[in-house]
Amino acid sequence: MADANVITYEALVARVGRIFLRHGVRPESARVLGRVIAAGERDNCQSHGIYRIEGCLQVLAAGKVDPVAVPEIHDAGGPVIEVDAGGGFSNPAFDAAEGVLASRARETGLAALVIRNCLHFSALWHDVEALAAEGLAALSMCPSYAVVAPAGGREPLLGTNPLAFGWPRRGGHPYVFDFATSVAARGEIELRRRAGAPIPEGWAVDRYGNPTTDPEAALAGAMLPFGGHKGSAISTMIELLAGAMLGEFMSREALEVIGGAGFLPRHGALVLAFDPRRFAARSGRDPLAEGERLLTAIGAQGARLPSERRFAAREVALRDGIALTDAEIAQLDAFETR
Ligand code: NDP
Ligand code: PYC
């Protein structure tokens, strides 16, 4: 650990937490935000790592998120549990309610968590990994802001609407995928804009509907859904289930309310937790063993499982520390003092 730019995961969690504390976030939430953002760097997911701090500080400064909101759980004992983030960040609300969600899923086989009124900036793998660690399968989804044109259209209407799935595995990392339903997360385009690099073809169209590889033109135009009409339909489903069904903002309204894609979006989120043992009970089969057969067979073909890259990066970061660039260190210093 000779390099001054290499920082341990724990030190980065503490450092990011201190930044949020300094910017008025209550200690419990600052700790969660520190963990979530540092975990993005640890797992080599830069689009949702320390690059996001700036966006979070912007919404704090603009009064678009409540720094001292205390998540409020509403649980009538049924399959749907609600947590009102009170206009605060989504992650502390998920953390507050995760235990109730997991125990309800174990009791009844299936439970849903509705997160209301939250500022959402993070990756979703945090949610499904936490539930998989409890032996549960999970789905997590949310709208974002309207920056994606539906397949066949050219006006931004859908969000980058992420979807994550987790499946528990005995004695190893869970099976997890987590992706935007746009070809890439918007953060990936912004990171390329900052680096002066083009985006791959097929990610976006400019404001006139022409294909573009220029990040500026893409950000001013519309992103595209992954997989054509299939990604467009999944993204629409997320608008309906995690927006319309919850009575929370869909991506178009989220964009209007927050005042443009320059700010992080505000909306709700939906997390579903399933207990595979309860679902399989009458079959007499072991669902985790069945799942294992499939996952092993995928690996046996030389195909990599989603999250394998991330888990490998995590192992290295926990062993050797996280290497930050000079610019990132300078930015953390600036955030801590301003
Ligand atoms: P990526 O395209 O980088 O990755 C998507 C998933 O596919 C990951 O699980 C990844 O695993 C896996 N994967 C990638 N390549 C392969 C491969 N060759 N074989 C098998 N699996 C593979 O993600 P996106 O850019 O779409 O999204 C990035 C993040 O942005 C997500 O975490 C998402 O939650 C977040 N996001 C958040 C939003 C919000 O509103 N809060 C909005 C949009 C996105 P691995 O990580 O191991 O590479
Ligand atoms: O990367 O698309 C994105 C995104 C939107 C909100 C948070 N991340």
Side-chain angles (χ1 to χ4, degrees):
M1 192 76 37
D3 191 332
N5 283 6
V6 176
I7 182 168
T8 64
Y9 167 62
E10 292 76 14
L12 187 58
V13 171
R15 203 158 175 200
V16 177
R18 278 200 305 276
I19 291 171
F20 282 103
L21 260 183
R22 185 172 177 87
H23 288 263
V25 175
R26 74 185 186 111
E28 297 82 349
S29 300
R31 260 197 303 278
V32 176
L33 298 178
R35 198 189 70 228
V36 164
I37 287 175
E41 291 299 323
R42 178 199 64 194
D43 284 15
N44 197 12
C45 295
Q46 266 97 16
S47 70
H48 290 80
I50 58 177
Y51 144 71
R52 287 284 166 190
I53 298 175
E54 191 179 355
C56 291
L57 299 187
Q58 258 172 19
V59 281
L60 281 164
K64 291 182 185 285
V65 62
D66 182 350
V68 294
V70 179
E72 226 176 75
I73 297 174
H74 300 273
D75 177 21
V80 181
I81 300 138
E82 298 196 13
V83 57
D84 189 338
F89 290 102
S90 64
N91 309 92
F94 174 79
D95 261 40
E98 189 245 326
V100 186
L101 173 65
S103 52
R104 188 63 39 78
R106 273 193 292 271
E107 275 162 43
T108 59
L110 169 61
L113 177 66
V114 175
I115 305 178
R116 292 202 177 285
N117 193 16
C118 63
L119 199 300
H120 206 297
F121 74 87
S122 72
L124 299 187
W125 50 261
H126 302 279
D127 308 353
V128 298
E129 261 191 64
L131 292 161
E134 307 250 13
L136 301 169
L139 277 169
S140 179
M141 64 189 87
C142 66
S144 65
Y145 35 31
V147 291
V148 178
R154 53 185 243 186
E155 299 295 329
L157 180 60
L158 304 169
T160 50
N161 302 359
L163 176 68
F165 171 72
W167 176 266
R169 300 181 74 181
R170 292 191 183 103
H173 290 300
Y175 174 86
V176 172
F177 70 71
D178 175 21
F179 48 70
T181 48
S182 43
V183 178
R186 193 165 177 84
E188 292 289 345
I189 300 187
E190 175 57 18
L191 286 174
R192 281 169 174 79
R193 188 189 68 77
R194 290 178 185 199
I199 57 169
E201 280 174 25
W203 279 24
V205 291
D206 64 17
R207 65 171 79 233
Y208 309 107
N210 301 314
T212 184
T213 57
D214 173 4
E216 293 276 7
L219 293 171
M223 299 172 66
L224 296 171
F226 82 93
H229 63 281
K230 299 181 186 183
S232 193
I234 293 173
S235 181
T236 304
M237 175 195 78
I238 293 171
E239 297 282 345
L240 296 173
L241 285 179
M245 187 174 85
L246 308 187
E248 294 289 323
F249 298 148
M250 287 189 267
S251 293
R252 186 150 68 173
E253 215 176 351
L255 187 75
E256 284 160 10
V257 166
I258 204 82
F263 287 115
L264 290 164
R266 186 161 166 162
H267 45 70
L270 180 64
V271 188
L272 304 173
F274 311 79
D275 186 342
R277 279 155 291 250
R278 285 210 160 241
F279 278 83
R282 283 167 60 80
S283 75
R285 299 173 81 182
D286 175 351
L288 296 197
E290 297 296 332
E292 216 45 42
R293 264 193 279 285
L294 172 67
L295 298 175
T296 309
I298 293 173
Q301 294 193 12
R304 90 151 159 97
L305 296 179
S307 294
E308 271 181 11
R309 177 203 62 84
R310 205 162 54 71
F311 292 136
R314 180 181 303 181
E315 223 168 89
V316 172
L318 292 177
R319 188 189 62 218
D320 301 339
I322 299 166
L324 300 179
T325 63
D326 288 342
E328 287 167 337
I329 296 277
Q331 206 182 29
L332 289 178
D333 288 344
F335 289 150
E336 246 183 299
T337 50
R338 84 178 184 203

